[in-house]
Amino acid sequence: GDSVTQMEGPVTLSEEAFLTINCTYTATGYPSLFWYVQYPGEGLQLLLKATKADDKGSNKGFEATYRKETTSFHLEKGSVQVSDSAVYFCALRHRNTGGFKTIFGAGTRLFVKA
Amino acid sequence: EADIYQTPRYLVIGTGKKITLECSQTMGHDKMYWYQQDPGMELHLIHYSYGVNSTEKGDLSSESTVSRIRTEHFPLTLESARPSHTSQYLCASSEPQRGNNEQFFGPGTRLTVL
């Protein structure tokens, strides 16, 4: 069945460090891929998305490229800030016979130290 | 700016009680969703609706029920709460257009059943 696997957290980095959170998926067809972010005490927010192979989603300094050959959608940021501390969820979404289906990864908690 | 609301944000209740979790959105979106997420675990879709008088069960079997009498309102009801229902419940809505798969999430309701 469809699944999303992302690296386990927590990930702890110092400010200005480079961030990579790995995400791989298994799915039939051509799903859309998303990264959502959840800040403490808040709901999920869409961070970026890519709807087809080789698309690069980017927002707030984060970026991720839809790699169909490796079924990956790794999240990267060149220089993290304390305010980036949050939980990051990788997700895929596609339509099947039952309607839209969204699968989320288990989430990766990021701590950024000043 | 997306406007989707959930109440209550937190609820602690005893076993056997009937509860209703409220979700409303002011964007006029036809599609609405309920997700369940245990801490550190994947989100699971438990209900969705394509519009008024349309409700469907999601990927994860749930003892809850939903209704969609008005476009903006999508309440979730548990007739008799049990400790196994303790979880976070996330409501979302979307207005799918060609190539647009964004879901807007509410802040969530954290339910604890004693």
Side-chain angles (χ1 to χ4, degrees), chain B residues 3-9 20-27 29 31-35 47 49 66-77 89-94 104-109:
Chain B
D3 290 314
I4 179 163
Y5 308 98
Q6 289 184 243
T7 57
R9 294 289 305 276
T20 296
L21 308 184
E22 302 288 348
C23 175
S24 60
Q25 49 92 9
T26 59
M27 298 169 282
H29 287 172
K31 290 195 173 185
M32 297 189 72
Y33 314 80
W34 276 102
Y35 295 86
H47 297 283
S49 167
V66 292
S67 62
R68 191 86 182 277
I69 299 172
R70 303 199 316 266
T71 298
E72 62 271 21
H73 197 212
F74 191 41
L76 180 147
T77 299
Y89 294 83
L90 289 163
C91 180
S93 74
S94 68
F104 298 94
F105 286 85
T109 295

Side-chain angles (χ1 to χ4, degrees), chain A:
Chain A
D2 299 343
S3 66
V4 175
T5 302
Q6 56 183 111
M7 64 188 287
E8 289 187 22
V11 173
T12 303
L13 296 173
S14 297
E15 211 165 21
E16 299 184 4
F18 185 87
L19 169 71
T20 300
I21 300 179
N22 289 338
C23 173
T24 57
Y25 68 91
T26 58
T28 56
Y30 299 90
S32 295
L33 301 176
F34 304 83
W35 277 100
Y36 285 89
V37 58
Q38 187 174 33
Y39 297 103
E42 298 184 17
L44 294 180
Q45 300 175 28
L46 179 66
L47 181 59
L48 53 85
K49 66 179 182 181
T51 57
K52 61 183 186 296
D54 300 325
D55 268 3
K56 177 186 284 188
S58 60
N59 185 26
K60 300 180 180 179
F62 291 90
E63 59 181 34
T65 302
Y66 190 143
R67 301 283 189 204
K68 189 155 182 66
E69 65 276 14
T70 55
T71 61
S72 64
F73 194 54
H74 304 321
L75 182 69
E76 296 180 337
K77 186 173 185 181
S79 176
V80 294
Q81 305 300 314
V82 172
S83 59
D84 293 327
S85 297
V87 182
Y88 293 82
F89 291 90
C90 184
L92 69 83
R93 183 162 174 240
H94 64 164
R95 180 186 285 277
N96 60 12
T97 54
F100 283 103
K101 182 176 181 178
T102 302
I103 304 292
F104 283 85
T108 301
R109 187 172 295 277
L110 171 66
F111 293 107
V112 181
K113 303 179 298 183

Side-chain angles (χ1 to χ4, degrees), chain B residues 54-110:
Chain B
S54 155
T55 62
E56 301 288 344
K57 289 191 177 293
D59 308 328
L60 180 68
S61 175
S62 173
E63 294 168 347
S64 58
T65 59
V66 292
S67 62
R68 191 86 182 277
I69 299 172
R70 303 199 316 266
T71 298
E72 62 271 21
H73 197 212
F74 191 41
L76 180 147
T77 299
L78 278 165
E79 290 293 332
S80 179
R82 296 207 303 271
S84 61
H85 297 139
T86 295
S87 190
Q88 184 183 40
Y89 294 83
L90 289 163
C91 180
S93 74
S94 68
E95 185 59 57
Q97 300 170 7
R98 192 173 182 82
N100 182 354
N101 296 317
E102 290 186 36
Q103 291 195 1
F104 298 94
F105 286 85
T109 295
R110 189 166 295 282

